[in-house]
Amino acid sequence: MVLRSVASRLALAMLLGSAIIMIVTGGLLLSHTREQTLAQTQREAAAVVQSAAVRIQGRIDGVATIGRTLAALLHDRRDQAPALIRDTLAANPEIVDISAAFVPRDSSAVRDQDAPVVRRGPGGSLIASSRRTDPEPYWSSDWFVQGLNCDSGCWQAPFRMAGRPETLVGYSVAIPGTSRIPVIGVADATISLDWLQRLLSQLGKPEHASAFVADSDGIFLAHDWTSYIGSRASRPLREAMATGKNPIRLTPEMGARVSEPVWVYYVPIRGTGWIFGLSMPERAVLADLRRTYMVDILLGLLALAGVSLIALIVTRRLMAPLGVLAERAENVARGDLDFALPDVRRNDEVGRLTRAFDHMRHQLAGHIDTAKRTAREQERIASELEIARQIQLALIPEPRWLAADGRIELFAALRPASAVGGDLYTYFALGAKHVCVMVGDVSDKGVPAALFMARTITLARTIATHARSPSDILAALNRELCKGNDTCMFVTLLCGVVETETGMLSMASAGHEQPVLHAGGSAILVDVETGPALGLDREARYPVRVMTLLGGDTVIMYTDGVSEAHAGNQRLYGADALLDSVSRIGEGATPEALVTGVLNDVDAYVEGAPAYDDIALLALTWHDAGAKGVRLDAVAHS
């Protein structure tokens, strides 16, 4: 329910949009900061590594200088070798032992003076002995053979010595000889690698960093993780060091002996083939960055929440009148216009909308009052029209009539296009031997036509009692209708008088449709010469058509609502369709069957379209079976 409001949706959209922007920019910033952090760490690590390498280099260079100096002295002081190495060892406490091994003149009679060695014993005492007692002849051992080839000095492989717990490494220098014999022996100074391990522990390394020293074969000479000392570095580290790539990122997936990604920074130690390295877990390197990023994210989320809350409050405050307008709009939908609107005096969109809504409400109230009055007026008019319809229907006789002697039967139908119409039919007796029938159509429609129709019927009944022919009836009725006819309304009328004893039918037409004679199973139009419509010309004359009805003959009188009926195609029903409809009704059919059949065909033709005009239809049947012979058909002019 809360999220259905515009204010809530706007605040949520701002929150989501800002969060997306913050995540994207935060990711880019994190990537950039990560690169900067790694670069900064590399610079710091390089400084630490370089500093440590310089310290190691100084210590190594000192031992190398001692070795080279000793070798130079032994060049021509072979006999003084025991004393020289003793004095040298005494002067350099970092050295564990010093050897001066010469190539024996006779390997089968090696003397102690050929390979003197002085070792530093427990408590710092110096112990002199000879390498002649080594388990393996020293002149064939690897260190001696390699040392003979080290004219400028070289570091031997680390080794362990019986009786000493630490790892040792020796620096060997070939003792120069004469031009005939270039090398006469090897001067070797051995140091313990414990000082190297102590040096690593004394370095000012970054937290979580571990330092190591490895030789050219990748063997760890010293390591902050002492269990690694003497083991070989992982293949990825050795390969990276061989290519000179620096720094190196090692991961467990690469096969490195690490549990997480680490960065390794290293520097070679000149003259030894060793490297000093510093490894740092990437997690530790980026820990501060990650912590800072998380704090920034948290602060950013708090800021977003605060901005969204402020936006929600401000938006709700600004749009509060719109909520009231929405409720009032529902009141308007229910027809309730009596309510109060918020007092919005500002001139922004909300203020303009509120004032427009209030104006619309008053306008709508006025329209509703007008509509109600109109509806009441329409109800009154409809009621009056219904009353008028009832009165109009009361003016016309019953639709079915059968003469007392059964000779004449008629059926009529009146179907107004609206509540009231201008079509009419009527029939009445004229004395004891005549019956008058009329079918008419008043110009125009609606109430005026209905009133004119009522006037016509009333006058016709009155006038017909004083006349005996249709011509006289129409002429007298015409003169009466012309009186005071300022609106120039008129009525077409077909009037017929039937003699009840003979079936002689006299007809006169005042501008009306020609009647149809249904006789012997066929239908024909009866040609009745017509005069002008009633109500237009006071001097009008109306010829009479006289004809004798035979038994079973039916005369059908109708208005133009039948012949001019049409639907969407705008084609009129017409006289031909009317004759076809009548002829399809079998001989001997009742007047009601004829009227109903014609009306059904007209309804089918218009296909349910609204009635175009009023319809009046009357069928008169002569039932005298004895009336046979030649039909009399003549025209008489009055």
Side-chain angles (χ1 to χ4, degrees):
M1 185 65 181
V2 174
L3 294 180
R4 293 175 61 181
S5 68
V6 176
S8 300
R9 291 180 179 178
L10 179 60
L12 181 59
M14 290 182 60
L15 179 61
L16 293 178
S18 301
I20 293 173
I21 293 175
M22 188 186 72
I23 291 173
V24 173
T25 55
L28 295 175
L29 180 61
L30 176 63
S31 176
H32 178 68
T33 307
R34 179 179 182 275
E35 297 300 325
Q36 288 187 329
T37 301
L38 291 176
Q40 178 64 25
T41 303
Q42 180 181 357
R43 288 192 293 271
E44 295 176 356
V48 173
V49 169
Q50 194 64 39
S51 175
V54 169
R55 294 175 62 180
I56 296 174
Q57 191 69 56
R59 189 70 171 266
I60 294 300
D61 289 347
V63 175
T65 300
I66 293 172
R68 287 192 294 271
T69 303
L70 183 60
L73 293 175
L74 292 175
H75 163 64
D76 53 356
R77 298 180 185 180
R78 178 170 181 169
D79 295 338
Q80 300 176 13
L84 286 174
I85 61 176
R86 181 182 180 87
D87 294 342
T88 301
L89 183 62
N92 298 278
E94 72 276 12
I95 297 176
V96 174
D97 65 44
I98 297 177
S99 301
F102 295 92
V103 177
R105 294 187 178 92
D106 184 0
S107 58
S108 60
V110 179
R111 303 172 304 168
D112 291 340
Q113 296 82 347
D114 291 334
V117 58
V118 180
R119 292 188 173 90
R120 196 179 302 279
S125 61
L126 302 180
I127 302 172
S129 63
S130 175
R131 286 195 176 272
R132 189 177 63 85
T133 61
D134 289 350
E136 178 185 4
Y138 72 86
W139 58 88
S140 62
S141 61
D142 293 339
W143 71 270
F144 182 81
V145 174
Q146 183 176 352
L148 292 176
N149 296 303
C150 294
D151 296 338
S152 300
C154 60
W155 288 93
Q156 301 282 358
F159 64 95
R160 304 295 293 266
M161 180 183 290
R164 297 190 68 93
E166 72 274 31
T167 299
L168 305 175
V169 62
Y171 183 80
S172 303
V173 182
I175 301 173
T178 63
S179 58
R180 190 172 58 87
I181 302 175
V183 177
I184 60 174
V186 175
D188 182 85
T190 301
I191 60 174
S192 171
L193 291 180
D194 284 352
W195 69 270
L196 198 57
Q197 190 68 26
R198 289 193 300 272
L199 177 64
L200 297 185
S201 63
Q202 295 170 358
L203 292 175
K205 303 182 295 293
E207 189 177 4
H208 306 295
S210 59
F212 65 88
V213 177
D215 63 9
S216 57
D217 293 330
I219 303 298
F220 289 116
L221 303 179
H223 204 294
D224 280 338
W225 294 10
T226 55
S227 60
Y228 279 20
I229 297 174
S231 64
R232 172 166 288 187
S234 62
R235 180 181 52 79
L237 178 59
R238 298 197 309 273
E239 292 176 351
M241 290 188 300
T243 59
K245 182 180 179 181
N246 192 12
I248 312 163
R249 185 175 185 270
L250 301 177
T251 63
E253 294 76 14
M254 297 169 62
R257 291 184 298 175
V258 293
S259 58
E260 59 181 323
V262 299
W263 286 92
V264 178
Y265 309 89
Y266 67 93
V267 62
I269 298 176
R270 178 172 45 82
T272 63
W274 300 356
I275 62 166
F276 174 82
L278 193 65
S279 68
M280 299 180 64
E282 185 176 83
R283 174 182 50 79
V285 173
L286 302 177
D288 292 340
L289 172 63
R290 191 177 294 107
R291 189 180 306 107
T292 302
Y293 182 74
M294 294 304 296
V295 171
D296 292 344
I297 288 292
L298 179 60
L299 294 177
L301 291 176
L302 291 176
L304 288 179
V307 171
S308 300
L309 180 61
I310 293 173
L312 178 63
I313 295 173
V314 172
T315 306
R316 281 195 169 186
R317 184 178 180 83
L318 291 176
M319 302 187 68
L322 293 182
V324 177
L325 290 180
E327 295 177 358
R328 298 299 180 260
E330 294 175 353
N331 291 349
V332 172
R334 293 191 296 268
D336 179 15
L337 300 177
D338 186 14
F339 49 75
L341 289 174
D343 184 15
V344 181
R345 299 183 179 180
R346 57 179 189 259
N347 199 31
D348 56 7
E349 289 81 356
V350 176
R352 290 161 54 196
L353 178 61
T354 304
R355 288 189 289 274
F357 187 88
D358 189 41
H359 179 70
M360 181 190 69
R361 175 181 61 158
H362 288 94
Q363 292 290 330
L364 184 59
H367 291 320
I368 290 176
D369 290 341
T370 302
K372 288 181 178 178
R373 289 195 299 272
T374 303
R376 288 194 294 270
E377 184 66 19
Q378 289 178 344
E379 290 178 357
R380 185 187 62 79
I381 293 174
S383 177
E384 292 177 355
L385 285 176
E386 180 60 24
I387 295 173
R389 173 186 173 83
Q390 297 299 326
I391 294 174
Q392 185 182 31
L393 293 177
L395 292 174
I396 60 176
E398 293 294 327
R400 178 182 292 106
W401 179 76
L402 179 63
D405 57 4
R407 290 179 175 177
I408 300 176
E409 181 183 5
L410 62 84
F411 186 84
L414 180 62
R415 183 189 290 179
S418 57
V420 292
D423 284 10
L424 63 94
Y425 77 84
T426 186
Y427 59 85
F428 48 86
L430 292 177
K433 297 181 180 179
H434 295 84
V435 173
C436 180
V437 295
M438 293 182 179
V439 172
D441 182 5
V442 178
S443 63
D444 207 350
K445 299 180 178 63
V447 174
L451 294 175
F452 204 82
M453 169 263 198
R455 185 187 178 193
T456 302
I457 289 180
T458 304
L459 288 174
R461 282 178 174 273
T462 303
I463 292 172
T465 56
H466 304 288
R468 286 297 179 265
S469 73
S471 176
D472 296 339
I473 295 173
L474 292 183
L477 183 57
N478 176 54
R479 289 191 294 273
E480 291 298 324
L481 292 176
C482 285
K483 294 179 182 178
N485 187 17
D486 297 334
T487 59
C488 294
M489 294 188 67
F490 61 88
V491 56
T492 65
L493 189 69
L494 179 62
C495 177
V497 176
V498 182
E499 189 174 315
T500 59
E501 293 181 347
T502 63
M504 182 173 292
L505 173 61
S506 302
M507 291 184 291
S509 174
H512 201 76
E513 303 288 329
Q514 292 181 340
V516 175
L517 175 62
H518 181 244
S522 62
I524 59 172
L525 290 174
V526 179
D527 187 10
V528 180
E529 188 176 355
T530 181
L534 305 179
L536 298 177
D537 182 6
R538 291 176 57 86
E539 304 301 328
R541 295 292 183 269
Y542 301 95
V544 174
R545 180 67 179 267
V546 180
M547 59 184 299
T548 302
L549 297 179
L550 303 180
D553 289 354
T554 300
V555 176
I556 301 170
M557 305 164 71
Y558 56 94
T559 59
D560 59 1
V562 174
S563 58
E564 297 181 359
H566 61 273
N569 55 13
Q570 300 299 318
R571 294 182 59 186
L572 302 181
Y573 186 66
D576 293 339
L578 175 60
L579 293 175
D580 179 68
S581 176
V582 174
S583 63
R584 283 189 283 104
I585 299 175
E587 185 178 6
T590 63
E592 182 178 0
L594 284 165
V595 170
T596 304
V598 171
L599 290 177
N600 289 339
D601 286 348
V602 171
D603 290 342
Y605 184 78
V606 301
E607 297 178 340
Y612 166 74
D613 200 357
D614 306 331
I615 292 178
L617 193 62
L618 184 146
L620 182 147
T621 302
W622 176 251
H623 286 302
D624 187 1
K628 298 181 179 177
V630 179
R631 186 187 306 279
L632 175 60
D633 193 353
V635 177
H637 294 275
S638 58

